[in-house]
Amino acid sequence: MMPTPSSPDDQEELVLWYWRRTRRLTFALLLLWFAFNLGAAWYAEALNTISVGGVPLGFLLLSTASPLLFTVIATVYAIAINRWERQARRAGDWTPIKKPASRRVSS
Protein backbone atom coordinates (compact mmCIF):
# COMPACT_ATOMS: atom_id res chain seq x y z
CA MET A 1 0.00 0.00 0.00
CA MET A 2 1.22 3.48 -0.81
CA PRO A 3 2.29 5.55 2.23
CA THR A 4 0.66 8.94 2.81
CA PRO A 5 3.23 11.63 3.63
CA SER A 6 2.62 13.95 6.57
CA SER A 7 6.26 14.70 7.39
CA PRO A 8 9.59 14.74 5.51
CA ASP A 9 10.26 11.18 6.70
CA ASP A 10 6.95 10.08 5.21
CA GLN A 11 7.89 11.87 1.98
CA GLU A 12 11.09 9.84 1.83
CA GLU A 13 9.03 6.71 2.45
CA LEU A 14 6.83 7.66 -0.52
CA VAL A 15 9.92 8.07 -2.72
CA LEU A 16 11.26 4.69 -1.53
CA TRP A 17 7.88 3.09 -2.24
CA TYR A 18 7.87 4.50 -5.78
CA TRP A 19 11.43 3.46 -6.65
CA ARG A 20 11.03 0.01 -5.09
CA ARG A 21 7.96 -0.67 -7.24
CA THR A 22 9.64 0.79 -10.32
CA ARG A 23 12.70 -1.43 -9.91
CA ARG A 24 10.54 -4.49 -9.30
CA LEU A 25 8.45 -3.83 -12.41
CA THR A 26 11.54 -3.13 -14.53
CA PHE A 27 13.19 -6.36 -13.40
CA ALA A 28 10.05 -8.45 -14.03
CA LEU A 29 9.48 -7.04 -17.51
CA LEU A 30 13.14 -7.41 -18.50
CA LEU A 31 13.08 -11.00 -17.24
CA LEU A 32 9.98 -11.70 -19.33
CA TRP A 33 11.56 -10.18 -22.44
CA PHE A 34 14.85 -12.03 -21.89
CA ALA A 35 13.14 -15.38 -21.22
CA PHE A 36 10.98 -15.11 -24.33
CA ASN A 37 13.87 -14.20 -26.62
CA LEU A 38 16.26 -16.72 -25.14
CA GLY A 39 13.63 -19.46 -25.26
CA ALA A 40 12.67 -18.69 -28.85
CA ALA A 41 16.32 -18.62 -29.93
CA TRP A 42 17.26 -21.72 -27.92
CA TYR A 43 14.41 -23.79 -29.36
CA ALA A 44 14.39 -22.18 -32.82
CA GLU A 45 15.49 -25.34 -34.59
CA ALA A 46 12.75 -27.41 -32.98
CA LEU A 47 10.19 -24.64 -33.54
CA ASN A 48 11.15 -24.41 -37.21
CA THR A 49 9.70 -27.88 -37.76
CA ILE A 50 6.27 -26.28 -37.26
CA SER A 51 5.02 -24.00 -40.02
CA VAL A 52 2.40 -21.28 -39.72
CA GLY A 53 1.20 -20.17 -43.14
CA GLY A 54 4.31 -21.65 -44.74
CA VAL A 55 6.66 -19.73 -42.43
CA PRO A 56 8.75 -21.60 -39.83
CA LEU A 57 7.51 -20.88 -36.29
CA GLY A 58 10.98 -20.11 -34.89
CA PHE A 59 11.53 -17.44 -37.52
CA LEU A 60 8.02 -16.08 -36.99
CA LEU A 61 8.50 -15.78 -33.22
CA LEU A 62 11.85 -14.04 -33.44
CA SER A 63 11.00 -11.73 -36.34
CA THR A 64 7.42 -10.77 -35.48
CA ALA A 65 6.43 -11.77 -31.96
CA SER A 66 9.61 -10.46 -30.31
CA PRO A 67 9.13 -6.81 -31.45
CA LEU A 68 5.43 -7.10 -30.65
CA LEU A 69 6.23 -8.33 -27.14
CA PHE A 70 8.70 -5.46 -26.71
CA THR A 71 5.96 -2.98 -27.67
CA VAL A 72 3.53 -4.56 -25.21
CA ILE A 73 6.16 -4.47 -22.44
CA ALA A 74 6.91 -0.77 -23.09
CA THR A 75 3.18 0.02 -23.03
CA VAL A 76 2.62 -1.87 -19.76
CA TYR A 77 5.60 -0.07 -18.21
CA ALA A 78 4.38 3.37 -19.30
CA ILE A 79 0.83 2.76 -18.03
CA ALA A 80 2.06 1.44 -14.67
CA ILE A 81 4.54 4.29 -14.12
CA ASN A 82 1.95 6.93 -15.04
CA ARG A 83 -0.56 5.37 -12.64
CA TRP A 84 1.96 5.22 -9.78
CA GLU A 85 3.09 8.81 -10.34
CA ARG A 86 -0.53 9.97 -10.35
CA GLN A 87 -1.13 8.13 -7.05
CA ALA A 88 2.02 9.64 -5.54
CA ARG A 89 1.06 13.16 -6.68
CA ARG A 90 -2.34 12.76 -4.99
CA ALA A 91 -0.65 11.56 -1.80
CA GLY A 92 1.57 14.60 -1.36
CA ASP A 93 4.28 16.87 -2.67
CA TRP A 94 5.82 14.63 -5.29
CA THR A 95 8.89 14.95 -7.47
CA PRO A 96 9.48 11.67 -9.29
CA ILE A 97 13.02 12.61 -10.35
CA LYS A 98 14.30 12.48 -6.78
CA LYS A 99 15.94 9.12 -6.11
CA PRO A 100 16.02 7.69 -2.59
CA ALA A 101 19.05 8.35 -0.45
CA SER A 102 21.28 5.37 0.03
CA ARG A 103 20.74 3.71 3.39
CA ARG A 104 24.20 2.16 3.36
CA VAL A 105 26.51 3.06 6.20
CA SER A 106 30.11 3.78 5.27
CA SER A 107 32.69 2.17 7.50
Side-chain angles (χ1 to χ4, degrees), residues 30-60:
L30 281 173
L31 186 64
L32 171 68
W33 178 74
F34 180 75
F36 176 82
N37 284 307
L38 182 67
W42 189 269
Y43 296 108
E45 192 173 329
L47 290 170
N48 283 337
T49 60
I50 303 167
S51 286
V52 177
V55 179
L57 184 60
F59 174 77
L60 193 63

PDB file of all heavy atoms in Angstrom, residues 30-60:
ATOM      1  N   LEU A  30      11.900  -7.017 -17.820  1.00  0.00           N
ATOM      2  CA  LEU A  30      13.137  -7.415 -18.503  1.00  0.00           C
ATOM      3  C   LEU A  30      13.331  -8.919 -18.465  1.00  0.00           C
ATOM      4  O   LEU A  30      13.793  -9.521 -19.442  1.00  0.00           O
ATOM      5  CB  LEU A  30      14.339  -6.709 -17.881  1.00  0.00           C
ATOM      6  CG  LEU A  30      14.555  -5.276 -18.314  1.00  0.00           C
ATOM      7  CD1 LEU A  30      15.686  -4.646 -17.499  1.00  0.00           C
ATOM      8  CD2 LEU A  30      14.853  -5.188 -19.788  1.00  0.00           C
ATOM      9  N   LEU A  31      12.980  -9.547 -17.354  1.00  0.00           N
ATOM     10  CA  LEU A  31      13.084 -10.998 -17.242  1.00  0.00           C
ATOM     11  C   LEU A  31      12.139 -11.683 -18.229  1.00  0.00           C
ATOM     12  O   LEU A  31      12.524 -12.654 -18.888  1.00  0.00           O
ATOM     13  CB  LEU A  31      12.773 -11.437 -15.810  1.00  0.00           C
ATOM     14  CG  LEU A  31      12.970 -12.910 -15.502  1.00  0.00           C
ATOM     15  CD1 LEU A  31      14.437 -13.294 -15.659  1.00  0.00           C
ATOM     16  CD2 LEU A  31      12.506 -13.201 -14.086  1.00  0.00           C
ATOM     17  N   LEU A  32      10.928 -11.166 -18.363  1.00  0.00           N
ATOM     18  CA  LEU A  32       9.979 -11.704 -19.330  1.00  0.00           C
ATOM     19  C   LEU A  32      10.521 -11.592 -20.753  1.00  0.00           C
ATOM     20  O   LEU A  32      10.495 -12.551 -21.520  1.00  0.00           O
ATOM     21  CB  LEU A  32       8.637 -10.971 -19.220  1.00  0.00           C
ATOM     22  CG  LEU A  32       7.598 -11.265 -20.302  1.00  0.00           C
ATOM     23  CD1 LEU A  32       7.104 -12.700 -20.182  1.00  0.00           C
ATOM     24  CD2 LEU A  32       6.460 -10.279 -20.213  1.00  0.00           C
ATOM     25  N   TRP A  33      11.026 -10.423 -21.099  1.00  0.00           N
ATOM     26  CA  TRP A  33      11.560 -10.183 -22.437  1.00  0.00           C
ATOM     27  C   TRP A  33      12.766 -11.097 -22.714  1.00  0.00           C
ATOM     28  O   TRP A  33      12.864 -11.708 -23.763  1.00  0.00           O
ATOM     29  CB  TRP A  33      11.947  -8.711 -22.563  1.00  0.00           C
ATOM     30  CG  TRP A  33      12.552  -8.345 -23.866  1.00  0.00           C
ATOM     31  CD1 TRP A  33      11.914  -8.198 -25.071  1.00  0.00           C
ATOM     32  CD2 TRP A  33      13.924  -8.056 -24.117  1.00  0.00           C
ATOM     33  NE1 TRP A  33      12.813  -7.840 -26.038  1.00  0.00           N
ATOM     34  CE2 TRP A  33      14.058  -7.751 -25.483  1.00  0.00           C
ATOM     35  CE3 TRP A  33      15.056  -8.038 -23.310  1.00  0.00           C
ATOM     36  CZ2 TRP A  33      15.285  -7.425 -26.054  1.00  0.00           C
ATOM     37  CZ3 TRP A  33      16.261  -7.712 -23.885  1.00  0.00           C
ATOM     38  CH2 TRP A  33      16.361  -7.410 -25.244  1.00  0.00           C
ATOM     39  N   PHE A  34      13.661 -11.187 -21.744  1.00  0.00           N
ATOM     40  CA  PHE A  34      14.850 -12.030 -21.889  1.00  0.00           C
ATOM     41  C   PHE A  34      14.472 -13.508 -22.030  1.00  0.00           C
ATOM     42  O   PHE A  34      14.992 -14.211 -22.894  1.00  0.00           O
ATOM     43  CB  PHE A  34      15.779 -11.835 -20.687  1.00  0.00           C
ATOM     44  CG  PHE A  34      17.022 -12.664 -20.746  1.00  0.00           C
ATOM     45  CD1 PHE A  34      18.060 -12.335 -21.603  1.00  0.00           C
ATOM     46  CD2 PHE A  34      17.164 -13.789 -19.944  1.00  0.00           C
ATOM     47  CE1 PHE A  34      19.214 -13.099 -21.664  1.00  0.00           C
ATOM     48  CE2 PHE A  34      18.309 -14.560 -19.998  1.00  0.00           C
ATOM     49  CZ  PHE A  34      19.329 -14.211 -20.856  1.00  0.00           C
ATOM     50  N   ALA A  35      13.551 -13.971 -21.184  1.00  0.00           N
ATOM     51  CA  ALA A  35      13.143 -15.378 -21.221  1.00  0.00           C
ATOM     52  C   ALA A  35      12.486 -15.727 -22.553  1.00  0.00           C
ATOM     53  O   ALA A  35      12.762 -16.792 -23.134  1.00  0.00           O
ATOM     54  CB  ALA A  35      12.197 -15.679 -20.062  1.00  0.00           C
ATOM     55  N   PHE A  36      11.634 -14.850 -23.053  1.00  0.00           N
ATOM     56  CA  PHE A  36      10.980 -15.113 -24.334  1.00  0.00           C
ATOM     57  C   PHE A  36      12.003 -15.198 -25.464  1.00  0.00           C
ATOM     58  O   PHE A  36      11.991 -16.135 -26.255  1.00  0.00           O
ATOM     59  CB  PHE A  36       9.943 -14.038 -24.650  1.00  0.00           C
ATOM     60  CG  PHE A  36       9.315 -14.217 -26.006  1.00  0.00           C
ATOM     61  CD1 PHE A  36       8.277 -15.108 -26.173  1.00  0.00           C
ATOM     62  CD2 PHE A  36       9.778 -13.517 -27.102  1.00  0.00           C
ATOM     63  CE1 PHE A  36       7.705 -15.299 -27.423  1.00  0.00           C
ATOM     64  CE2 PHE A  36       9.219 -13.697 -28.353  1.00  0.00           C
ATOM     65  CZ  PHE A  36       8.176 -14.594 -28.518  1.00  0.00           C
ATOM     66  N   ASN A  37      12.897 -14.208 -25.531  1.00  0.00           N
ATOM     67  CA  ASN A  37      13.873 -14.195 -26.618  1.00  0.00           C
ATOM     68  C   ASN A  37      14.879 -15.332 -26.512  1.00  0.00           C
ATOM     69  O   ASN A  37      15.236 -15.942 -27.516  1.00  0.00           O
ATOM     70  CB  ASN A  37      14.598 -12.848 -26.672  1.00  0.00           C
ATOM     71  CG  ASN A  37      13.715 -11.793 -27.279  1.00  0.00           C
ATOM     72  OD1 ASN A  37      13.187 -11.963 -28.367  1.00  0.00           O
ATOM     73  ND2 ASN A  37      13.534 -10.703 -26.561  1.00  0.00           N
ATOM     74  N   LEU A  38      15.326 -15.617 -25.314  1.00  0.00           N
ATOM     75  CA  LEU A  38      16.256 -16.724 -25.136  1.00  0.00           C
ATOM     76  C   LEU A  38      15.583 -18.052 -25.461  1.00  0.00           C
ATOM     77  O   LEU A  38      16.158 -18.895 -26.153  1.00  0.00           O
ATOM     78  CB  LEU A  38      16.805 -16.749 -23.707  1.00  0.00           C
ATOM     79  CG  LEU A  38      17.829 -17.845 -23.429  1.00  0.00           C
ATOM     80  CD1 LEU A  38      19.095 -17.587 -24.228  1.00  0.00           C
ATOM     81  CD2 LEU A  38      18.130 -17.915 -21.953  1.00  0.00           C
ATOM     82  N   GLY A  39      14.361 -18.231 -24.985  1.00  0.00           N
ATOM     83  CA  GLY A  39      13.634 -19.465 -25.261  1.00  0.00           C
ATOM     84  C   GLY A  39      13.363 -19.656 -26.743  1.00  0.00           C
ATOM     85  O   GLY A  39      13.527 -20.762 -27.282  1.00  0.00           O
ATOM     86  N   ALA A  40      12.950 -18.592 -27.415  1.00  0.00           N
ATOM     87  CA  ALA A  40      12.674 -18.692 -28.849  1.00  0.00           C
ATOM     88  C   ALA A  40      13.956 -18.990 -29.628  1.00  0.00           C
ATOM     89  O   ALA A  40      13.943 -19.786 -30.570  1.00  0.00           O
ATOM     90  CB  ALA A  40      12.026 -17.412 -29.353  1.00  0.00           C
ATOM     91  N   ALA A  41      15.055 -18.374 -29.233  1.00  0.00           N
ATOM     92  CA  ALA A  41      16.323 -18.621 -29.928  1.00  0.00           C
ATOM     93  C   ALA A  41      16.863 -20.007 -29.604  1.00  0.00           C
ATOM     94  O   ALA A  41      17.385 -20.706 -30.480  1.00  0.00           O
ATOM     95  CB  ALA A  41      17.343 -17.554 -29.547  1.00  0.00           C
ATOM     96  N   TRP A  42      16.730 -20.426 -28.353  1.00  0.00           N
ATOM     97  CA  TRP A  42      17.255 -21.720 -27.917  1.00  0.00           C
ATOM     98  C   TRP A  42      16.531 -22.869 -28.618  1.00  0.00           C
ATOM     99  O   TRP A  42      17.147 -23.845 -29.019  1.00  0.00           O
ATOM    100  CB  TRP A  42      17.082 -21.835 -26.404  1.00  0.00           C
ATOM    101  CG  TRP A  42      17.777 -23.013 -25.811  1.00  0.00           C
ATOM    102  CD1 TRP A  42      17.263 -24.269 -25.616  1.00  0.00           C
ATOM    103  CD2 TRP A  42      19.114 -23.062 -25.339  1.00  0.00           C
ATOM    104  NE1 TRP A  42      18.186 -25.078 -25.043  1.00  0.00           N
ATOM    105  CE2 TRP A  42      19.351 -24.358 -24.858  1.00  0.00           C
ATOM    106  CE3 TRP A  42      20.133 -22.127 -25.254  1.00  0.00           C
ATOM    107  CZ2 TRP A  42      20.554 -24.754 -24.319  1.00  0.00           C
ATOM    108  CZ3 TRP A  42      21.328 -22.528 -24.710  1.00  0.00           C
ATOM    109  CH2 TRP A  42      21.541 -23.821 -24.252  1.00  0.00           C
ATOM    110  N   TYR A  43      15.214 -22.737 -28.747  1.00  0.00           N
ATOM    111  CA  TYR A  43      14.409 -23.792 -29.358  1.00  0.00           C
ATOM    112  C   TYR A  43      14.028 -23.483 -30.797  1.00  0.00           C
ATOM    113  O   TYR A  43      13.089 -24.081 -31.335  1.00  0.00           O
ATOM    114  CB  TYR A  43      13.149 -24.026 -28.524  1.00  0.00           C
ATOM    115  CG  TYR A  43      13.459 -24.540 -27.142  1.00  0.00           C
ATOM    116  CD1 TYR A  43      13.295 -23.733 -26.024  1.00  0.00           C
ATOM    117  CD2 TYR A  43      13.938 -25.830 -26.954  1.00  0.00           C
ATOM    118  CE1 TYR A  43      13.596 -24.196 -24.759  1.00  0.00           C
ATOM    119  CE2 TYR A  43      14.242 -26.306 -25.696  1.00  0.00           C
ATOM    120  CZ  TYR A  43      14.066 -25.487 -24.594  1.00  0.00           C
ATOM    121  OH  TYR A  43      14.376 -25.947 -23.350  1.00  0.00           O
ATOM    122  N   ALA A  44      14.736 -22.589 -31.457  1.00  0.00           N
ATOM    123  CA  ALA A  44      14.393 -22.178 -32.820  1.00  0.00           C
ATOM    124  C   ALA A  44      14.412 -23.354 -33.787  1.00  0.00           C
ATOM    125  O   ALA A  44      13.526 -23.481 -34.635  1.00  0.00           O
ATOM    126  CB  ALA A  44      15.329 -21.074 -33.295  1.00  0.00           C
ATOM    127  N   GLU A  45      15.398 -24.209 -33.668  1.00  0.00           N
ATOM    128  CA  GLU A  45      15.487 -25.336 -34.593  1.00  0.00           C
ATOM    129  C   GLU A  45      14.288 -26.265 -34.445  1.00  0.00           C
ATOM    130  O   GLU A  45      13.698 -26.700 -35.442  1.00  0.00           O
ATOM    131  CB  GLU A  45      16.789 -26.101 -34.363  1.00  0.00           C
ATOM    132  CG  GLU A  45      17.079 -27.103 -35.456  1.00  0.00           C
ATOM    133  CD  GLU A  45      18.454 -27.726 -35.285  1.00  0.00           C
ATOM    134  OE1 GLU A  45      19.360 -27.054 -34.766  1.00  0.00           O
ATOM    135  OE2 GLU A  45      18.586 -28.901 -35.671  1.00  0.00           O
ATOM    136  N   ALA A  46      13.909 -26.553 -33.217  1.00  0.00           N
ATOM    137  CA  ALA A  46      12.745 -27.409 -32.984  1.00  0.00           C
ATOM    138  C   ALA A  46      11.458 -26.701 -33.415  1.00  0.00           C
ATOM    139  O   ALA A  46      10.550 -27.329 -33.960  1.00  0.00           O
ATOM    140  CB  ALA A  46      12.665 -27.788 -31.515  1.00  0.00           C
ATOM    141  N   LEU A  47      11.382 -25.395 -33.152  1.00  0.00           N
ATOM    142  CA  LEU A  47      10.185 -24.643 -33.537  1.00  0.00           C
ATOM    143  C   LEU A  47      10.061 -24.515 -35.053  1.00  0.00           C
ATOM    144  O   LEU A  47       8.948 -24.375 -35.576  1.00  0.00           O
ATOM    145  CB  LEU A  47      10.213 -23.244 -32.902  1.00  0.00           C
ATOM    146  CG  LEU A  47      10.024 -23.190 -31.388  1.00  0.00           C
ATOM    147  CD1 LEU A  47      10.321 -21.788 -30.869  1.00  0.00           C
ATOM    148  CD2 LEU A  47       8.617 -23.608 -31.015  1.00  0.00           C
ATOM    149  N   ASN A  48      11.183 -24.544 -35.755  1.00  0.00           N
ATOM    150  CA  ASN A  48      11.148 -24.410 -37.208  1.00  0.00           C
ATOM    151  C   ASN A  48      10.542 -25.624 -37.901  1.00  0.00           C
ATOM    152  O   ASN A  48      10.243 -25.567 -39.091  1.00  0.00           O
ATOM    153  CB  ASN A  48      12.540 -24.120 -37.767  1.00  0.00           C
ATOM    154  CG  ASN A  48      12.930 -22.680 -37.549  1.00  0.00           C
ATOM    155  OD1 ASN A  48      12.080 -21.818 -37.381  1.00  0.00           O
ATOM    156  ND2 ASN A  48      14.229 -22.427 -37.542  1.00  0.00           N
ATOM    157  N   THR A  49      10.359 -26.720 -37.164  1.00  0.00           N
ATOM    158  CA  THR A  49       9.695 -27.885 -37.758  1.00  0.00           C
ATOM    159  C   THR A  49       8.191 -27.644 -37.903  1.00  0.00           C
ATOM    160  O   THR A  49       7.514 -28.341 -38.638  1.00  0.00           O
ATOM    161  CB  THR A  49       9.937 -29.151 -36.918  1.00  0.00           C
ATOM    162  OG1 THR A  49       9.419 -28.942 -35.607  1.00  0.00           O
ATOM    163  CG2 THR A  49      11.419 -29.480 -36.859  1.00  0.00           C
ATOM    164  N   ILE A  50       7.681 -26.649 -37.184  1.00  0.00           N
ATOM    165  CA  ILE A  50       6.269 -26.284 -37.261  1.00  0.00           C
ATOM    166  C   ILE A  50       6.156 -25.069 -38.182  1.00  0.00           C
ATOM    167  O   ILE A  50       6.903 -24.102 -38.043  1.00  0.00           O
ATOM    168  CB  ILE A  50       5.722 -25.927 -35.860  1.00  0.00           C
ATOM    169  CG1 ILE A  50       5.939 -27.085 -34.900  1.00  0.00           C
ATOM    170  CG2 ILE A  50       4.266 -25.523 -35.932  1.00  0.00           C
ATOM    171  CD1 ILE A  50       5.713 -26.724 -33.446  1.00  0.00           C
ATOM    172  N   SER A  51       5.225 -25.125 -39.099  1.00  0.00           N
ATOM    173  CA  SER A  51       5.016 -24.001 -40.017  1.00  0.00           C
ATOM    174  C   SER A  51       3.663 -23.357 -39.768  1.00  0.00           C
ATOM    175  O   SER A  51       2.676 -24.035 -39.519  1.00  0.00           O
ATOM    176  CB  SER A  51       5.065 -24.474 -41.468  1.00  0.00           C
ATOM    177  OG  SER A  51       6.382 -24.753 -41.849  1.00  0.00           O
ATOM    178  N   VAL A  52       3.639 -22.051 -39.834  1.00  0.00           N
ATOM    179  CA  VAL A  52       2.404 -21.278 -39.722  1.00  0.00           C
ATOM    180  C   VAL A  52       2.283 -20.473 -41.000  1.00  0.00           C
ATOM    181  O   VAL A  52       3.049 -19.527 -41.222  1.00  0.00           O
ATOM    182  CB  VAL A  52       2.434 -20.353 -38.481  1.00  0.00           C
ATOM    183  CG1 VAL A  52       1.171 -19.501 -38.419  1.00  0.00           C
ATOM    184  CG2 VAL A  52       2.613 -21.147 -37.211  1.00  0.00           C
ATOM    185  N   GLY A  53       1.368 -20.861 -41.856  1.00  0.00           N
ATOM    186  CA  GLY A  53       1.201 -20.173 -43.138  1.00  0.00           C
ATOM    187  C   GLY A  53       2.417 -20.324 -44.037  1.00  0.00           C
ATOM    188  O   GLY A  53       2.736 -19.403 -44.784  1.00  0.00           O
ATOM    189  N   GLY A  54       3.132 -21.421 -43.919  1.00  0.00           N
ATOM    190  CA  GLY A  54       4.311 -21.651 -44.738  1.00  0.00           C
ATOM    191  C   GLY A  54       5.582 -21.030 -44.192  1.00  0.00           C
ATOM    192  O   GLY A  54       6.648 -21.129 -44.786  1.00  0.00           O
ATOM    193  N   VAL A  55       5.492 -20.368 -43.048  1.00  0.00           N
ATOM    194  CA  VAL A  55       6.656 -19.729 -42.428  1.00  0.00           C
ATOM    195  C   VAL A  55       7.040 -20.526 -41.183  1.00  0.00           C
ATOM    196  O   VAL A  55       6.180 -20.844 -40.356  1.00  0.00           O
ATOM    197  CB  VAL A  55       6.335 -18.261 -42.039  1.00  0.00           C
ATOM    198  CG1 VAL A  55       7.521 -17.602 -41.381  1.00  0.00           C
ATOM    199  CG2 VAL A  55       5.860 -17.468 -43.228  1.00  0.00           C
ATOM    200  N   PRO A  56       8.320 -20.864 -41.021  1.00  0.00           N
ATOM    201  CA  PRO A  56       8.752 -21.604 -39.828  1.00  0.00           C
ATOM    202  C   PRO A  56       8.441 -20.820 -38.544  1.00  0.00           C
ATOM    203  O   PRO A  56       8.639 -19.601 -38.479  1.00  0.00           O
ATOM    204  CB  PRO A  56      10.256 -21.764 -40.007  1.00  0.00           C
ATOM    205  CG  PRO A  56      10.520 -21.512 -41.446  1.00  0.00           C
ATOM    206  CD  PRO A  56       9.438 -20.619 -41.938  1.00  0.00           C
ATOM    207  N   LEU A  57       7.940 -21.522 -37.533  1.00  0.00           N
ATOM    208  CA  LEU A  57       7.505 -20.877 -36.294  1.00  0.00           C
ATOM    209  C   LEU A  57       8.646 -20.173 -35.559  1.00  0.00           C
ATOM    210  O   LEU A  57       8.458 -19.093 -35.003  1.00  0.00           O
ATOM    211  CB  LEU A  57       6.836 -21.897 -35.372  1.00  0.00           C
ATOM    212  CG  LEU A  57       6.241 -21.366 -34.078  1.00  0.00           C
ATOM    213  CD1 LEU A  57       5.168 -20.321 -34.369  1.00  0.00           C
ATOM    214  CD2 LEU A  57       5.681 -22.481 -33.238  1.00  0.00           C
ATOM    215  N   GLY A  58       9.837 -20.748 -35.557  1.00  0.00           N
ATOM    216  CA  GLY A  58      10.983 -20.113 -34.895  1.00  0.00           C
ATOM    217  C   GLY A  58      11.289 -18.757 -35.506  1.00  0.00           C
ATOM    218  O   GLY A  58      11.509 -17.777 -34.803  1.00  0.00           O
ATOM    219  N   PHE A  59      11.291 -18.704 -36.824  1.00  0.00           N
ATOM    220  CA  PHE A  59      11.529 -17.437 -37.522  1.00  0.00           C
ATOM    221  C   PHE A  59      10.403 -16.452 -37.224  1.00  0.00           C
ATOM    222  O   PHE A  59      10.644 -15.265 -36.976  1.00  0.00           O
ATOM    223  CB  PHE A  59      11.632 -17.672 -39.034  1.00  0.00           C
ATOM    224  CG  PHE A  59      11.736 -16.416 -39.824  1.00  0.00           C
ATOM    225  CD1 PHE A  59      12.928 -15.714 -39.887  1.00  0.00           C
ATOM    226  CD2 PHE A  59      10.636 -15.917 -40.495  1.00  0.00           C
ATOM    227  CE1 PHE A  59      13.022 -14.537 -40.605  1.00  0.00           C
ATOM    228  CE2 PHE A  59      10.719 -14.738 -41.224  1.00  0.00           C
ATOM    229  CZ  PHE A  59      11.918 -14.057 -41.276  1.00  0.00           C
ATOM    230  N   LEU A  60       9.173 -16.948 -37.230  1.00  0.00           N
ATOM    231  CA  LEU A  60       8.016 -16.083 -36.986  1.00  0.00           C
ATOM    232  C   LEU A  60       8.064 -15.478 -35.586  1.00  0.00           C
ATOM    233  O   LEU A  60       7.797 -14.277 -35.413  1.00  0.00           O
ATOM    234  CB  LEU A  60       6.742 -16.899 -37.174  1.00  0.00           C
ATOM    235  CG  LEU A  60       5.435 -16.145 -37.257  1.00  0.00           C
ATOM    236  CD1 LEU A  60       5.434 -15.246 -38.484  1.00  0.00           C
ATOM    237  CD2 LEU A  60       4.273 -17.114 -37.306  1.00  0.00           C
TER     238      LEU A  60
END
